[in-house]
Amino acid sequence: MASEKEPGDIPAASPSTPPAEPEKRKREYKDFGHEEEKATHANVDMSTIELKAEDLYDKEKVDLETIVIDDVFKLLQCDDNGLSAEEAQRRLELFGPNKLESEEQNAILQFLSFMWNPLSWVMEAAALVAIALSNGEGRAPDWQDFVGIVLLLFINSAIGFYEERNAGNAVKALMDSLAPKAKVKRAGTWSEIESSELVPGDMVSFKIGDIVPADCRLTEAINVSIDQAALTGESLPQSKKSGDQCFSGSTCKQGEAEGVVISTGANTFFGRAASLVGQDDDTTGHLQKILAQIGSFCLIAIGLFVFLEIVILYPKFHYTYRRGLDNILVLLIGGIPIAMPTVLSVTLAVGAQQLAKHKAIVTRITAIEELAGVTILCSDKTGTLTTNKLTIDKDTIRTYSSFSPDDVILLAAYASRTENQDAIDMSVVQAIGDTARARAGIKLLDFKPFNPVDKRTEITYREEATGKLKRVTKGMTGIIIELCTRNKTEELENKLEADVEEYATRGLRALAVAYEEVDGDDFEAEGNGFELIGLLAIFDPPVKMVTGDQLAIAKETGRRLGLGDHMYPAKVLKDGPAPGSKHRSLDEMIMDADGFAGVFPEHKYEIVKRLQGLGHLCAMTGDGANDAPALSRANVGIAVEGATDAARGAADIVLTEPGLSTIVHAIRGSRIIFQRMRNYSIYACAVTIRIVVCFAILAFAYQFDFPPFMVLIIALLNDGTIMTLSVDRVLPSMTPDSWDLAEIFAYAVAYGLYLTLSTIALVIIIMETTFFQDKFGVALETSPVVANDPQLHMVVYLQVAIISQALIFVTRSHSFFFMERPSAALFCAFCLAQLVSSIIAAYGDWGFTNIRAISGGWIGIVWVWNIIWFFPLDFIKFGMKATVIKYLRDRHAKAAAAAAQHDAAEGVPMTRTQSRAASIHESLYSNRVSFIKRAARKVGFGGKISMKPEELQRFSSIQAQRVGATLARNPSRTA
């Protein structure tokens, strides 16, 4: 035993102490985390203060956080009387003010940035074509198209601008939570100054209720207790003694203290968190990535047919300049889904209002879309997991005796607390329906609650109906089976093991239940032996816990919440897996872990970054300033109820009610919103194909010149109707959503080509035959009908407008369109748009565009024609599902299986990733572009704190780097 002791261990006081006790205590104590940090000396010659900067980068030589106080005073060139006013002013110029700078953004540049993406570029080009290039041949510029296009662009930008200007600034929130005033000793005299004027080397004082104004080492401490929960995540206030470090922004809960300031502003613990928050501002959101790819699909389709029109219409048909340009404008205006960012923005904004009803406030609106696809939720413990709800899966209960599943749940409920419940007891009691049944018909004689050693609960009770004493226990499977002496056999253990493994593969946790009877009236007597009666399955939310608390507390929290206790101390994130362990890489260890304890801001940041590197969309919950960097880095940062301003500023979603149930509502709501956006994306791509292919073919076949203004009318009516998709009735998926763009494009091409066929068939019948004229007595202006008959244009307008919009009822449903009722808003908007289209068709004699009103007979023909062509759309959807979509999904599943096998064989690769997928192309949709940032900097709009990544890696010695290096270069005296 002696050989196992750490240096400094106290020997056992009594030889009679059982040997197992110290061993157990020692193991538990070791798990408890915080390693004792002993005072160190700077390994440099302290007789001279002329230190080199490279020496200060070496933590082996000097670390202001741990070296003895005397060395701190020497290194910082100060004493306990404080600095002189002149020296304080000199250091203020050297180190800057003790506050965090926030970036102010120019509103005009921010608004204009929303018009800077490829979809907008094409529409801007179309506007220029309409106003500048459409001159000549005796015709005026195309003002109507120009005004309509510009109006669409400005509406889109205004919505995006409004959303972003309302978003909170995370760095500003961190800055605002710094202490505004500080008590400082200068030249031997105490005074109160603005905390922003503090400099390294100042002597400061604080007492109960004060916020620590800067990172400092205590020189005097009288019964001091500091609450660091908002910074480090520790649940309880920490006692501090002379020589200890206190962090800026933490709160003094007890006692009085004096200390010497060792770092200020951006170089404090708090400031480092702020710089981490600002690190990822150059990346684009996941929604922007999808928009980029959908935009590319539409641009390629339009570009291809514009090119074909140029090389066919001009050389072959000798089109004049202006006539060919009008045809190209039709493709540009009709094909570009310019309203896509606007429609999606409105969908997200309405969704945000709906989430607010569930007490979830959205601060970055595109986070809703990302939340729908989140595959891993990393949760901070403190204030986040305290009201977690687990659920018993009744359909998967296993029984091993004569008891039925209902009996097993009832007996398990007996063995659960009915008050002061932990999450597992609550889930078991709620599973029986009426919670009063958990104590009905029995008299409680003895109850043993769960504890980390026994890992089970136990009740002894008297059954009132028979008067017999009985005992039930529930708990961890391995513990319970060891107690079961009555029916434990090799066969039973094998079956139990197989059932637990099956649960595990399905993401369920197992809870074993055993039962015995007790002879006589002594409730403390031994029973007749436990008998395993059942195994309960508990839904285990896919959560990883990331907490600054101690390891044992983290494990216990994990046990109580059913999250598992497979947790590691934060040091493994630096050291990696131990040699010979089952994990071949740190990434594999992170994926396997239930959580991490004792973490600092960049630990949480690193965990999230690595999970993203493994291809996961990651959500992070938290409540303190220490969580802000990881909240900012995560695809979706969630600040829980009671979070600090710093965490709220960094988060994308802020909860105003405690517990994970609010997050569940938010995820469900986000998946509903995702379905609405997916439905719209299929519709928008299909309409692009339909307009571009249809009008290009008509131009090639009949030299058909459709008026560009009527395409703009179709786009306006379509987009106005589609806005109501934001409140459509849809069902959320049961698994994380993801954008399968191959599926979306496949559906779009199928629908688009079918709708193209419907229009071309109508035009052929009208132009090549007299079927409608003979059967229904209708006529057009020209006879025989020519391609550019103004009334034929109107017929085509009405046919395209009606059936294109009706397509949304097919794309929004999984079954037949009439099986899933749309929202009243969508249906009414559709009816109103079709009424407007029909009225335009009946009365639209507009001189500036080549159309003429048509008779009621033609309107009726178009409606009937569209209805006939509409019904087969569902069968196209089913046919696509059975063929192309099935093939795409099978191919995707095979690729995923192959990747999993490769990872199992080779180990999980470590790939560097940005928090939100970004490339040069995708960043064009980020509403932030480098030239705008550079322009803002040139004209002096705001600055930003920056910190090099290598400095962040040297977390504990950054203060020495900044303070010591600066003073070494600018000594106030020489020794």
Side-chain angles (χ1 to χ4, degrees), residues 3 57 102 267 459 529 602 610 614 730 861:
S3 65
Y57 274 79
S102 60
N267 203 32
I459 184 174
E602 62 274 22
R610 283 180 174 269
L614 296 171
V730 293
I861 288 169

Side-chain angles (χ1 to χ4, degrees), residues 696-742:
I697 290 175
L698 287 176
F700 300 152
Y702 291 110
Q703 292 78 63
F704 186 87
D705 302 332
F706 194 72
F709 187 77
M710 297 314 293
V711 173
L712 194 59
I713 295 293
I714 291 172
L716 285 168
L717 286 175
N718 276 0
D719 295 338
T721 302
I722 294 303
M723 290 288 179
T724 58
L725 266 184
S726 59
V727 292
D728 193 23
R729 295 159 46 95
V730 293
L731 295 172
S733 65
M734 299 305 292
T735 55
D737 286 308
S738 63
W739 288 96
D740 193 328
L741 293 175

Side-chain angles (χ1 to χ4, degrees), residues 650-673:
D652 304 309
I653 296 174
V654 178
L655 307 183
T656 57
E657 273 192 358
L660 285 178
S661 59
T662 316
I663 299 176
V664 172
H665 281 303
I667 290 175
R668 185 179 186 277
S670 69
R671 289 182 181 175
I672 288 174
I673 295 160

Side-chain angles (χ1 to χ4, degrees), residues 170-187:
V171 178
K172 186 176 185 304
L174 286 163
M175 179 186 70
D176 290 345
S177 61
L178 278 169
K181 297 283 185 183
K183 193 174 180 185
V184 64
K185 183 194 271 189
R186 287 187 177 163

Side-chain angles (χ1 to χ4, degrees), residues 587-624:
D587 295 312
E588 201 174 313
M589 179 180 262
I590 288 175
M591 287 304 299
D592 181 59
D594 290 319
F596 297 91
V599 297
F600 279 91
E602 62 274 22
H603 292 141
K604 299 183 180 187
Y605 185 89
E606 183 70 16
I607 291 166
V608 171
K609 189 171 84 169
R610 283 180 174 269
L611 287 170
Q612 289 171 331
L614 296 171
H616 289 280
L617 277 177
C618 198
M620 170 77 185
T621 71
D623 60 349

Side-chain angles (χ1 to χ4, degrees), residues 514-525:
Y515 162 89
E516 71 173 355
E517 295 184 355
V518 183
D519 295 330
D521 288 330
D522 182 5
F523 66 82
E524 294 182 344

Side-chain angles (χ1 to χ4, degrees), residues 906-927:
E906 303 292 329
V908 182
M910 175 54 199
T911 54
R912 185 172 175 79
T913 179
Q914 291 180 311
S915 67
R916 302 179 176 98
S919 70
I920 293 173
H921 174 49
E922 288 146 16
S923 67
L924 294 173
Y925 289 82
S926 67
N927 301 326

